[in-house]
Amino acid sequence: MSGVKAEGVSPLSSYLPFWQKIDAAEQAKLTASAQKRTFHKGQTVSGGNECTGLFVVCSGQLRAFIFSETGKEVTLYRLLSRDICLMSASCMLHSLQFDIQIEALEETVAYQIPTDIYKSLMETNAAVANYTNELMASRFSEVLWLVDQVLNHRLDSRLAALLLEEKDLAGSNTLVCTHEQLGNHLGSAREVVTRMLRYLQSEQLVRLTRGKIEILNDEGLKALAGESLR
Amino acid sequence: MSGVKAEGVSPLSSYLPFWQKIDAAEQAKLTASAQKRTFHKGQTVSGGNECTGLFVVCSGQLRAFIFSETGKEVTLYRLLSRDICLMSASCMLHSLQFDIQIEALEETVAYQIPTDIYKSLMETNAAVANYTNELMASRFSEVLWLVDQVLNHRLDSRLAALLLEEKDLAGSNTLVCTHEQLGNHLGSAREVVTRMLRYLQSEQLVRLTRGKIEILNDEGLKALAGESLR
């Protein structure tokens, strides 16, 4: 199937703030080129070099991360419903010299817009280019927040903040995730995370069971998280 | 004095890659609004909230850094001749939620372009907006490099790489800088840097004298810096 349903109002119109600033032919071109995609949990959305296109997230959750030279992962930011993933189209920007990986953290539905279609629109339409600027500035801010975190906060505090964030996203006190996944978010080794989780368990803040982490004391985690909370 | 000399060719024309893609009236407006500024070593160019304008660096060196919540500084990147400082006009971008500080590391001459002039040009001209995108992508890449460094490299290695970088920039084996300044680049405390420098001295890689660091062994520092070298 090529293109999302174009009868009546395009489904893209409510997601792209510049929609009213592009003409009908441009709207039609975007709508015709966009594909509705479904990614299952853990699936790679974009491998960094691939320049797969932009993704407009309808539901679910994506994670942007980098691999360091030593092969360790660290999460840069997450993309939720209505967020737009620019880094999967990073080849649009010559100056972006870093491979950013994107994966689905849960079943995710997104519209995929081909890089060349978006790029040609951006090159000729200032509204689209300025919107792209805002998208990048927003991700840039999140990465600066990460720099601050990594330099200034202890791992126990960052882990407590991450557990509370995961709880909010899951809408449940029971998190289904591995210690390795948490380590990948924090840029830490699994062993270090396991040790820290056991410490949190000894403080009766969490309970660890096979493949699951149950949050027992929100207030205690909040106190530990302190300024690491977003 | 208002505006840089506008007879004949504008001095901005060779610095702004989009010059040929804006019309004569826009060129004249930019030229008339730009101010040639000189900053002495250590002077604050932009304090984060001020939105001073864009700076086009002609000579010298600027440093962009953030203050963390705990008051510690960390250098994000440096701007040399022909670089353009966008973050001193960060109010142009609503999504940039981080105060980035800019200071002169040595006597620096730069053209200052008022934020509102640049912003109105960017909003209407796709070439200017796309150039701004590339600028931001380039700084974003440098900050991602920093994240990788901080997470994956030991301080001794990062300090060795920094000393070699400073040597290249100074064009001399003798660096005139304080341990605190090095600490601010690395996001580390002065005491930690002093301890590490003494270790490098004991390895005969550097010689420390009052206010100065002499580099004795380039190859030794390179080996220690390893993958921390840019």
Side-chain angles (χ1 to χ4, degrees):
Chain A
M1 189 201 75
S2 180
V4 291
K5 198 159 179 282
E7 288 166 33
V9 180
S10 167
L12 293 176
S13 65
S14 69
Y15 289 103
L16 301 174
F18 55 73
W19 196 255
Q20 299 307 328
K21 294 181 179 164
I22 61 176
D23 65 30
E26 290 168 329
Q27 289 177 353
K29 199 171 179 185
L30 270 184
T31 305
S33 71
Q35 302 272 346
K36 195 166 192 171
R37 301 276 311 268
T38 301
F39 299 96
H40 56 75
K41 186 177 170 173
Q43 191 176 342
T44 297
V45 175
S46 173
N49 281 323
E50 294 165 20
C51 215
T52 326
L54 276 87
F55 288 93
V56 180
V57 181
C58 304
S59 65
Q61 190 184 160
L62 301 178
R63 174 173 87 105
F65 64 102
I66 50 173
F67 282 114
S68 73
E69 287 163 4
T70 52
K72 215 157 58 172
E73 290 182 15
V74 60
T75 297
L76 297 176
Y77 46 81
R78 306 187 203 200
L79 299 164
L80 307 177
S81 173
R82 310 199 78 77
D83 280 336
I84 292 175
C85 181
L86 188 65
M87 295 306 162
S88 47
S90 61
C91 60
M92 283 196 319
L93 298 157
H94 308 293
S95 310
L96 203 72
Q97 299 288 344
F98 237 91
D99 284 348
I100 297 180
Q101 319 283 320
I102 315 285
E103 70 164 19
L105 282 177
E106 53 189 67
E107 179 154 307
T108 299
V109 176
Y111 292 112
Q112 178 177 2
I113 300 172
T115 307
D116 57 339
I117 301 282
Y118 190 89
K119 185 167 188 267
S120 73
L121 191 57
M122 179 174 89
E123 278 171 354
T124 52
N125 188 308
V128 179
N130 280 289
Y131 174 68
T132 312
N133 255 323
E134 287 291 343
L135 277 184
M136 191 146 46
S138 169
R139 305 299 169 249
F140 198 179
S141 297
E142 295 190 83
V143 172
L144 288 175
W145 184 86
L146 175 68
V147 169
D148 181 48
Q149 283 295 303
V150 167
L151 282 171
N152 296 297
H153 295 274
R154 285 166 31 193
L155 187 69
D156 54 355
S157 152
R158 293 172 59 214
L159 178 58
L162 176 62
L163 292 173
L164 290 169
E165 200 181 322
E166 291 284 349
K167 186 200 135 166
D168 277 352
L169 289 167
S172 158
N173 275 320
T174 304
L175 312 177
V176 183
C177 62
T178 67
H179 301 185
E180 185 167 6
Q181 284 166 336
L182 295 174
N184 288 344
H185 280 306
L186 298 169
S188 287
R190 184 188 54 74
E191 296 77 5
V192 178
V193 171
T194 299
R195 204 181 310 134
M196 196 62 83
L197 282 169
R198 284 187 187 143
Y199 160 75
L200 298 183
Q201 183 169 245
S202 72
E203 298 285 306
Q204 298 178 328
L205 298 170
V206 301
R207 181 185 298 133
L208 306 175
T209 52
R210 196 173 176 82
K212 287 180 187 167
I213 299 164
E214 192 184 343
I215 292 181
L216 300 179
N217 181 346
D218 271 52
E219 291 310 311
L221 285 176
K222 272 180 201 157
L224 185 59
E227 290 186 332
S228 294
L229 275 178
R230 238 178 257 247
Chain B
M1 189 200 76
S2 180
V4 291
K5 199 161 178 280
E7 288 167 34
V9 180
S10 167
L12 294 175
S13 65
S14 69
Y15 288 103
L16 302 173
F18 56 72
W19 196 256
Q20 299 307 326
K21 293 180 181 166
I22 62 177
D23 65 30
E26 290 168 328
Q27 289 178 353
K29 199 172 180 184
L30 270 185
T31 306
S33 70
Q35 302 272 347
K36 195 166 191 171
R37 300 276 311 267
T38 302
F39 299 96
H40 56 76
K41 185 176 172 174
Q43 191 176 343
T44 297
V45 174
S46 173
N49 281 323
E50 295 166 19
C51 215
T52 326
L54 276 88
F55 289 94
V56 180
V57 181
C58 304
S59 64
Q61 190 184 157
L62 301 178
R63 174 172 88 104
F65 64 102
I66 50 173
F67 282 114
S68 74
E69 287 162 5
T70 52
K72 214 157 59 172
E73 291 182 14
V74 60
T75 298
L76 297 176
Y77 47 81
R78 306 188 205 200
L79 299 162
L80 306 177
S81 173
R82 310 199 78 77
D83 280 337
I84 292 175
C85 181
L86 186 65
M87 295 306 162
S88 47
S90 61
C91 60
M92 283 195 320
L93 299 156
H94 309 293
S95 310
L96 202 72
Q97 299 288 344
F98 237 90
D99 284 347
I100 297 180
Q101 318 284 320
I102 315 285
E103 70 165 18
L105 282 177
E106 55 189 65
E107 178 153 309
T108 299
V109 176
Y111 291 112
Q112 178 177 0
I113 300 173
T115 307
D116 57 340
I117 302 282
Y118 190 89
K119 185 165 187 269
S120 73
L121 192 58
M122 181 174 87
E123 279 170 354
T124 52
N125 187 308
V128 178
N130 280 288
Y131 174 68
T132 311
N133 255 324
E134 286 291 343
L135 276 185
M136 191 147 46
S138 169
R139 304 300 169 247
F140 197 1
S141 297
E142 295 190 81
V143 172
L144 288 175
W145 184 87
L146 174 67
V147 170
D148 182 47
Q149 283 296 303
V150 167
L151 282 171
N152 296 297
H153 295 274
R154 286 166 32 193
L155 187 69
D156 54 354
S157 153
R158 292 172 61 214
L159 178 58
L162 176 62
L163 292 173
L164 291 168
E165 201 180 321
E166 291 283 350
K167 187 200 135 168
D168 277 352
L169 289 168
S172 158
N173 275 320
T174 305
L175 312 178
V176 182
C177 62
T178 67
H179 301 183
E180 185 167 7
Q181 285 167 335
L182 296 174
N184 287 344
H185 281 306
L186 298 169
S188 287
R190 184 187 55 74
E191 296 76 5
V192 177
V193 171
T194 299
R195 203 181 310 133
M196 197 63 84
L197 282 169
R198 285 187 187 144
Y199 160 75
L200 298 183
Q201 183 170 247
S202 72
E203 297 285 306
Q204 298 179 330
L205 298 170
V206 301
R207 181 185 299 134
L208 306 175
T209 52
R210 195 174 178 80
K212 287 181 188 168
I213 299 164
E214 192 184 343
I215 292 181
L216 300 179
N217 181 346
D218 271 51
E219 291 310 312
L221 285 176
K222 272 181 202 155
L224 184 59
E227 289 184 334
S228 294
L229 275 179
R230 238 176 254 249

